[in-house]
Amino acid sequence: CEYIKDIAKRGCTRILMGLESGNDRILNEVIYKGVKKDQVFELCKRIADAGIMGSYTFVVGFPGEKDSEIEDTFDLIERLWDLTPRPETKVHIYYPYPGTPLFETACSLGYQPYEKLEDWSEVNYYTSQTPWVSPGLEERTKKHTDMMFLKGKG
């Protein structure tokens, strides 16, 4: 991708992207990104090869997401960490919002939405707030969240 090299030459030092998942089924059948994890990795490699810091966000705990699919996301993150410069990664736990494509699915799986608008301020992307996500997933997301500001570098 010549445009990646071009933006690096023009001074781009960081790119933030929502990669969302490291599993092809989640990427294409659940959140409809239209890409495969190998394509995602290759793009991230090109970004790193151009000397640009990647800052990537992920989401785990989608309704119906299997443990093995979540592991695929953590595996992709660990592969990304081998790139130089090592990208930042931030992992969120899925949270259903009214009007989004997965909201009805979430409700059918036992999610109870807030009834009052002010209660929505309690949403926390780093804790398990849906019935299908185990609290143990919180620790895994923390382990795979690696941001410069958490290390006192930014």
Side-chain angles (χ1 to χ4, degrees), residues 27-45:
L27 286 169
N28 293 292
E29 296 176 27
V30 177
I31 58 174
Y32 306 105
K33 284 291 228 182
V35 296
K36 294 186 178 196
K37 69 180 175 185
D38 292 340
Q39 293 172 302
V40 168
F41 180 80
E42 184 57 34
L43 176 61
C44 294
K45 184 176 181 330

Side-chain angles (χ1 to χ4, degrees), residues 93 95 124-138:
I93 297 175
Y95 194 84
N124 182 336
Y125 303 109
Y126 305 105
T127 62
S128 174
Q129 297 186 41
T130 55
W132 59 86
V133 172
S134 69
L137 186 58
E138 293 175 25

Side-chain angles (χ1 to χ4, degrees), residues 9-141:
K9 286 180 197 172
R10 294 172 186 262
C12 178
T13 60
R14 179 180 302 245
I15 292 178
L16 170 65
M17 286 192 301
L19 301 182
E20 315 308 354
S21 180
N23 179 271
D24 288 340
R25 185 186 80 81
I26 298 298
L27 286 169
N28 293 292
E29 296 176 27
V30 177
I31 58 174
Y32 306 105
K33 284 291 228 182
V35 296
K36 294 186 178 196
K37 69 180 175 185
D38 292 340
Q39 293 172 302
V40 168
F41 180 80
E42 184 57 34
L43 176 61
C44 294
K45 184 176 181 330
R46 289 178 181 178
I47 289 168
D49 289 347
I52 299 172
M53 166 70 74
S55 185
Y56 306 125
T57 60
F58 295 87
V59 179
V60 293
F62 290 103
E65 186 175 26
K66 299 174 187 135
D67 289 343
S68 62
E69 294 169 326
I70 291 171
E71 285 305 312
D72 288 344
T73 296
F74 293 137
D75 290 346
L76 175 60
I77 291 169
E78 290 171 10
R79 283 182 64 205
L80 292 172
W81 284 348
D82 289 335
L83 298 174
T84 303
R86 180 178 169 151
E88 297 179 319
T89 55
K90 191 169 209 171
V91 185
H92 300 244
I93 297 175
Y94 169 78
Y95 194 84
Y97 283 100
T100 61
L102 292 176
F103 184 76
E104 293 304 320
T105 302
C107 290
S108 74
L109 293 173
Y111 167 70
Q112 297 291 315
Y114 292 115
E115 293 183 20
K116 296 186 285 182
L117 181 61
E118 58 269 16
D119 292 338
W120 285 92
S121 67
E122 300 298 319
V123 172
N124 182 336
Y125 303 109
Y126 305 105
T127 62
S128 174
Q129 297 186 41
T130 55
W132 59 86
V133 172
S134 69
L137 186 58
E138 293 175 25
E139 285 307 309
R140 298 291 311 281
T141 61

